[in-house]
Amino acid sequence: MKLSELTTGQSGIIVKVSGHGGFRKRIIEMGFIKGKEVKVLLNAPLHDPVKYRIMGYEVSLRHSEAEQIEVVEKRKMKSQPQPTTTGNQLPLTDDEDEYDLPSDLETKREALRRRREINVALIGNPNCGKTSLFNFASGAHERVGNYSGVTVDAKEGVAEFKGYKFNLVDLPGTYSLSAYSPEELYVRKQIVEHTPDIIINVIDSSNLERNLYLTTQLIDMNLRMVGALNMFDEAETRGDQLDSAKLGELLGFPMVPTVFKNGRGVSELFNTVIQVYEGQFKKHPIRHIHINHGHEIENGIKDMQEHLKQYDELRRQFSTRYLAIKLLEHDAETEKIIAKLPDKEEIFMHRDDTGRRLEEEMKTDSETAIMDAKYGFIHGALEEIGYREGKRDDTYKITHLLDKFITHRWLGFPLFFLFIFIMFWITFSIGQYPMDWIDSGVGWLSDWLNGVLPDGPVRAMIVDGAVAGVGSVIVFLPQILILYTFISFMEDSGYMSRAAFIMDKMMHAMGIHGKSFIPLIMGFGCNVPAVMATRTIESRRSRLITMIVLPLMSCSARLPIYITIVGTFFAAKYQTPIMVLLYAIGILLAVVMSKLFSKYLIKGEDTPFVMELPPYRFPTAKAIARHTWEKGKQYLKKMGGIILVASIIVWALGYFPHNDELDSQAQQEQSYIGRIGKTIEPVFRPQGFDWKLDVSLIAGVGAKEIVASTMGVLYANDEEVGADDGEDHSDRYVNLRQKMEADGITPLIAFAYLLFVLIYFPCIATIAAIKGETGSWRWALFAAIYTTALAWVVSALVYQIGLLIL
C-alpha cells in the first residue's frame, strides 16, 4: 500500500520509494528509507499536507509525495510465541531496527518480501533482443521476430533470482523517445505513469552508435538504469574493441555484456540490477550525467528549468531537464503538458528565444542541434573508451550476399512469389497426409460412439453435433501448423523486412506505407495480431487504411473452408492453383480498395519509408517449433471453446423441433435452422447459394472456423445420399460432394461461395481489434459493412457471369 493510504495513528514499514531523480533523492534524504517505521501523526486543516514521525523527528509530506512511498501497514497483535525462522523465510538485514513484538517481526518480514520485488522495464531499439531476454528470464513464449515492431504492446512476466522477484515489462522496440511513432509515445507514457524501479536498456553491441541515441534520451529522464550490451558474441566475432566497464563508467550506469539467445551474461545482468536497486554497486560510481548540448541550448534549458522546478507535481513525474529538452525539440505531447502551467508564456518564450539564437548563430533549428549534440557525445564517448569496429568478420557478409538475390531488381519479386507458392503447396499437399490420419480418427470415433451410445438426442448431439462440428475443423490442424511454421520463419529470419522493402513502391502506389506489407503478410496467419502490428506504421492514414483492408487477407481460420470446398469440387491438379488464386484475389482486392480509400475516403500525409533491415539470422528449430505450437494451442483451445459450443447450437437448431417420421433432409428443412435458412435464402439467390450455405455464412460471423463446423453438422445426417451407388464413401470429399450436389451445388456455386468466405465480415475478434486500435466503432463497423457488401457483389458477379460463359 501507499503511505498516503495510512490514516492518523497508523504506522507502516517503508518498502521502497518510487519516482526518480531529484524528487526521489530528496525524499530519501529526509529519512524515508527502506525498513524504517513511519507513523501518521495528523492532517493539516485542509487534509493536505500530512505530518509523519520517522527516525525520531517529525516531517510533513503532501499526499502526492506520500503516494510515491510504498509501505506495509504495521498491525498490532497479541503477544504470541516468537516464530521460528525457516528456510523459506527471508532473513532480516543488519540495518533494520529490532522489534519486541512478534507482530513487528512479521511486519518487517512482509516489508522485506515486498522490498525484494523489483519492477523492471526492458527498453531498447527494435531487433536488440529485449523479447529474447524477456522469454529467457520469464519463460514466456512471446513473439521474437527479426523486424521492427514485433512487440506491439507491453508484455509482463515474472522472474526470480537470488531471493528477488523481478516483475518484467517488455516495452515496444523504439529508436527514440520522440513523438514520431505510437511505440515512442507508448514507451514514454509507461515510463512516466508506471515508473519502473530499474530500466534495463538493451543495446545491440554490433550496432552501438545508433543504439546509444536512445540511451542518451533515457539519461535525460534521470532514471536508474542498467545497460545490457546484447549480441556481444557478434561484436567479438567481428573483432570489436569495446571496454564495457569503461563505457558504463563514462555514461554513469553499469554495462553488462550479454548474449540472450544462449543466456550468457544474464545472471550477471540480474546481479547488477539487484546491486543498483539496493545501492550497492561498487565497481564504479553510479551518477547522473548531463549531456552537453552546446552553450545556447544549455542556457535555454537552464532558463526553462527555473520555471519548471517550481511545480512539485511536475517534478515528481518528470525530470525538468528532460522536459526542457523536449520543448526545444517542439515535442507536441510535452507542449500540451506545459500549456497547462500558469507561466507557460514565459517558458515558451525562453524556448523560442533559444531557437532564434540557434538559427542566427548556427543556421540550424533546435531539434537538429540537439540530435547533433547527442550523436557528437556518443561519438566522443566511444572515442574516449577506445572503441573500434573489427575487420575480422563482417556480420553482414552473408546478409549482403543474400540481399544481392532477395532484393534484386528482377529476382526479388519472382523469389518472393516462389516462396509464397512453395509455402501454400507444402501446406496443402504434405499437410494432406496427417490430415487424412486425423480424419480417419474422427471417423473411427464417430463409428465407435454410434455403436456404444443408445439411439436418441444425446447420441445425436455428441456424434452429429460435437464430433461432426469439431472434427470437421480439427482435421485441418496440420495445415495450420505448416502455414505458421513458414510465417514464423519469415518473421524470425529477417525476410519479412526485405519483403516490405521490395514491396514499398507497390504499397505506395496503393496509397499506403511499405511497412503495411508486414501486417498484411501476418494477416495470412491471423487478422487480430496483424491489426495490432499496424502500430509500427507511423502514418495514421496508412495505419488506418491497412487495418480496414486487412480482413481481405485470408487468415488461417478460412483455410479449413477452402480445403473442404476445393478438395470436394475440384480435381487434385487444380487444387493448389485455385487455393493460390483465392489468396491472390484477396491481395488484389486489398490493392484496389486501399487505392480507393486513400484517394477518396482517408486523407492525410504519408511518412518517409525509414525501416531497419537487420542482418539475416537463421532461427533455431526450437524457436520455430515453439512459436508454431503456440498458434496450434490457440487453435485447439478454439476447438474446445467457441467451435464446440457453436457446433452444438447449430446441431440443436437443426434437430429441433424433431420428427422421427421425417427423413434427414426434410427434418433439417422444417427445423429452426432450416426456417432461418429459408428466410434469408432470397438474399443469396444471385450467388446460387442454398439455405445450408447461407446458414453457414451467418454462423461464421463469430469465427470463420464455425463455417466449416456448421457445414460438418448440416451434412452429417445425409446418409441416404448416394448410399447404393457403389462408390467408396470412406473419402470424406466424395461423400460431401454427393451430398452437396444433391442440394444443387455446382463447382461454379462452390467457387462463388469461396469468394464470399474470402471477402465477407471479419470475425468478431478482428472487429474488436480494429475498434481498439482506432479508438472508435466507426471504422470497425465500416470494415464489417464494406467487406460484406463487397463479398456479395463479387460473388454474385462471378456466379452470374459464369452462368453466361459456361
Side-chain angles (χ1 to χ4, degrees), residues 38-191:
V38 58
K39 183 175 182 179
V40 184
L41 297 180
L42 58 88
N43 287 265
L46 297 179
H47 300 286
D48 201 12
V50 180
K51 184 164 73 170
Y52 299 95
R53 179 188 293 135
I54 186 168
M55 296 177 68
Y57 79 105
E58 297 175 0
V59 62
S60 68
L61 289 180
R62 294 192 181 99
H63 275 292
S64 60
E65 295 166 340
E67 284 177 355
Q68 300 301 302
I69 303 172
E70 187 176 341
V71 300
V72 172
E73 182 185 353
K74 182 179 176 184
R75 300 181 182 277
K76 292 185 178 180
M77 300 173 59
K78 292 183 180 180
S79 182
Q80 42 187 282
Q82 184 78 11
T84 303
T85 302
T86 67
N88 295 325
Q89 290 176 309
L90 296 171
L92 298 179
T93 54
D94 295 336
D95 63 338
E96 292 173 324
D97 297 333
E98 293 295 333
Y99 291 87
D100 297 326
L101 297 176
S103 59
D104 291 330
L105 186 60
E106 291 304 310
T107 302
K108 187 63 109 179
R109 284 210 169 92
E110 175 62 17
L112 182 57
R113 185 189 66 79
R114 296 281 297 278
R115 167 71 189 177
R116 291 187 174 180
E117 285 189 15
I118 308 177
N119 300 317
V120 178
L122 309 180
I123 299 178
N125 286 191
N127 300 310
C128 67
K130 292 182 300 79
T131 306
S132 295
L133 170 61
F134 180 79
N135 289 342
F136 186 89
S138 68
H141 296 159
E142 295 301 333
R143 196 89 211 79
V144 186
N146 197 14
Y147 63 91
S148 172
V150 109
T151 308
V152 294
D153 208 344
K155 306 294 188 301
E156 298 181 2
V158 175
E160 294 186 358
F161 182 77
K162 290 191 174 180
Y164 285 83
K165 178 182 176 183
F166 296 84
N167 299 316
L168 302 175
V169 179
D170 180 20
L171 293 174
T174 177
Y175 294 105
S176 76
L177 295 177
S178 304
Y180 187 65
S181 72
E183 290 90 351
E184 294 166 352
L185 289 174
Y186 185 83
V187 172
R188 281 168 54 175
K189 184 178 180 182
Q190 287 294 310
I191 292 174

Side-chain angles (χ1 to χ4, degrees), residues 297-587:
I297 293 177
E298 290 299 325
N299 287 337
I301 291 173
K302 183 179 178 181
D303 291 339
M304 285 184 280
Q305 276 189 291
E306 289 180 2
H307 294 272
L308 297 173
K309 286 180 178 179
Q310 299 175 22
Y311 303 100
D312 288 339
E313 182 67 22
L314 200 66
R315 295 177 65 188
R316 182 175 63 82
Q317 288 186 296
F318 301 95
S319 159
T320 55
R321 180 177 174 83
Y322 167 78
L323 287 177
I325 292 171
K326 284 299 168 191
L327 278 176
L328 287 168
E329 292 177 341
H330 293 270
D331 183 88
E333 294 298 315
T334 305
E335 288 177 347
K336 291 178 185 177
I337 296 170
I338 303 304
K340 300 175 183 178
L341 303 180
D343 56 350
K344 57 182 180 295
E345 289 85 3
E346 291 90 341
I347 297 173
F348 285 126
M349 180 191 68
H350 289 307
R351 189 268 307 272
D352 296 338
D353 286 346
T354 302
R356 278 193 295 270
R357 288 195 298 270
L358 283 169
E359 289 282 356
E360 293 170 0
E361 294 187 16
M362 303 176 62
K363 308 302 180 186
T364 187
D365 60 89
S366 56
E367 185 175 5
T368 302
I370 288 172
M371 288 190 289
D372 289 344
K374 288 187 183 300
Y375 274 114
F377 168 80
I378 294 167
H379 181 76
L382 295 178
E383 283 286 329
E384 188 169 337
I385 67 169
Y387 172 73
R388 294 290 183 274
E389 284 191 7
K391 305 297 182 184
R392 198 162 56 227
D393 247 338
D394 184 3
T395 54
Y396 278 80
K397 186 176 182 180
I398 296 177
T399 295
H400 293 157
L401 179 62
L402 290 175
D403 274 345
K404 286 182 179 179
F405 300 97
I406 291 175
T407 62
H408 190 270
R409 181 181 180 184
W410 302 112
L411 295 178
F413 286 103
L415 286 175
F416 172 73
F417 290 117
L418 176 63
F419 183 85
I420 296 297
F421 182 85
I422 292 172
M423 176 176 74
F424 289 130
W425 180 80
I426 292 178
T427 298
F428 306 138
S429 58
I430 295 181
Q432 184 66 44
Y433 296 103
M435 175 185 168
D436 289 340
W437 302 335
I438 297 174
D439 188 42
S440 298
V442 172
W444 174 86
L445 179 61
S446 297
D447 293 340
W448 180 76
L449 289 172
N450 275 321
V452 298
L453 294 177
D455 191 17
V458 174
R459 187 179 79 175
M461 180 186 70
I462 295 174
V463 177
D464 300 330
V467 175
V470 174
S472 63
V473 181
I474 201 171
V475 294
F476 300 102
L477 178 62
Q479 278 95 340
I480 301 295
L481 294 178
I482 293 172
L483 182 64
Y484 269 114
T485 298
F486 275 94
I487 293 176
S488 295
F489 179 83
M490 291 173 69
E491 293 177 351
D492 292 2
S493 65
Y495 181 72
M496 196 74 88
S497 294
R498 271 66 185 188
F501 174 75
I502 64 176
M503 296 295 291
D504 177 61
K505 191 169 184 178
M506 185 181 295
M507 295 290 106
H508 192 70
M510 292 165 55
I512 55 180
H513 200 278
K515 283 187 179 179
S516 299
F517 191 68
I518 292 174
L520 292 175
I521 289 293
M522 290 177 67
F524 288 150
C526 180
N527 287 168
V528 175
V531 168
M532 296 176 68
T534 59
R535 296 180 193 175
T536 63
I537 305 168
E538 291 87 359
S539 165
R540 181 185 179 277
R541 169 175 165 272
S542 293
R543 189 164 62 248
L544 191 54
I545 294 173
T546 305
M547 269 189 275
I548 59 179
V549 301
L550 254 171
L552 298 173
M553 298 293 102
S554 287
C555 65
S556 60
R558 295 178 172 97
L559 194 58
I561 312 167
Y562 296 166
I563 295 175
T564 298
I565 300 300
V566 171
T568 298
F569 282 95
F570 301 97
K573 63 180 179 179
Y574 299 120
Q575 289 176 4
T576 297
I578 289 175
M579 295 287 280
V580 174
L581 178 63
L582 288 171
Y583 282 85
I585 290 173
I587 294 171

Side-chain angles (χ1 to χ4, degrees), residues 12 99 130 193 236 265 331 341 466 565 637 646 662 707 724:
Y99 291 87
K130 292 182 300 79
E193 296 182 2
E236 290 175 327
D331 183 88
L341 303 180
I565 300 300
K637 286 179 181 177
L662 299 176
V707 175
D724 298 313

